[in-house]
Amino acid sequence: MDLHGDRRAPDLCPPAQDLHDETLQEPLASFAELLFEESLGSQRLNHWWPELALEEGFRAKTLKVQRNGGQGGCFPCHYDNSGPPSKRSITCLVYLNPDWTDGDGGELVLHPFLEPDIIIAPLMRRAVFFRSDLILHSVRPSSAERFCFTLWLDGPTNSREDVNLTAKLLRSELETVDFLKRSPVQRSVSRAVNSELYEESLLACMSGMPGCDEMLQGHRQHVTQQLAHPQLGPFVEFLRSFTCSETVRLCEPLTADVFRRKQDWARRRVDFAWTLGSNNNHPVRSCRVVWKFWIDDD
């Protein structure tokens, strides 16, 4: 199966192959197995975290194989689950780039709400898991060929509490900030709170391309409307005071020593779970369900 797809320059929308397409399941048999194997994905995560209540069965999964041609392909800031009717609960990215080096680009950047950015290199065999409805993320422009596949797992998302920013939440209090860091309702104000970040990522991916001006105009109009609201505007400004300019870079494999240092940093600064797999004692089992993402390089 030829995964090279369209060789547009720049390849701003990297071609992806959806394994629900039955014509791809035979030529991409190894990937199709991931789609149909019940012991992988939802079943395993439900064993570790029953609170996630992920749906099981291949219809509750989506798997896409992606090739980026290295001509600037990237993705601007987005949530994989931006709201109803999406049911995506968990995103799993697995990278397949044995020759990636610093400078090749194509890094995944996680933008946890009001927390430091996490820059993750697309190293071979690196898996990154995160909440589809909770982690804003983007992909930097790639100057080298880049392969990955993404598995999305469905679950009970987008409840009324997850999508409705109620008046009682519009309080300039630290308790509200902590709540929004852990709640998908952050999506209601993310674009206004992180307006410069959204605009920068749009320009990095779309500058000079058809539709870029319209997308920027729509973004700016949305932000302007929220800032003009008598209650929402001051609340957005309050949240902006908590934005963080720090970043964490993960451009080397997470050896035990690196993992220990990163984990110590995470425990001091943010509510993340960084884990490495092992045969007999998987640290994931001890993590609380409030985790936002984890990385496994084994």
Side-chain angles (χ1 to χ4, degrees), residues 164-179:
N164 292 331
L165 183 66
T166 59
K168 69 179 182 179
L169 286 176
L170 301 181
R171 299 174 298 177
S172 298
E173 300 175 0
L174 291 178
E175 181 180 352
T176 304
V177 175
D178 290 337
F179 171 78

Side-chain angles (χ1 to χ4, degrees), residues 73-102:
C74 56
F75 289 99
C77 289
H78 66 284
Y79 292 88
D80 280 355
N81 181 338
S82 59
S86 176
K87 299 176 69 177
R88 290 177 178 174
S89 179
I90 299 294
T91 298
C92 171
L93 274 161
V94 179
Y95 293 105
L96 308 170
N97 307 294
D99 301 320
W100 187 91
T101 60
D102 196 17

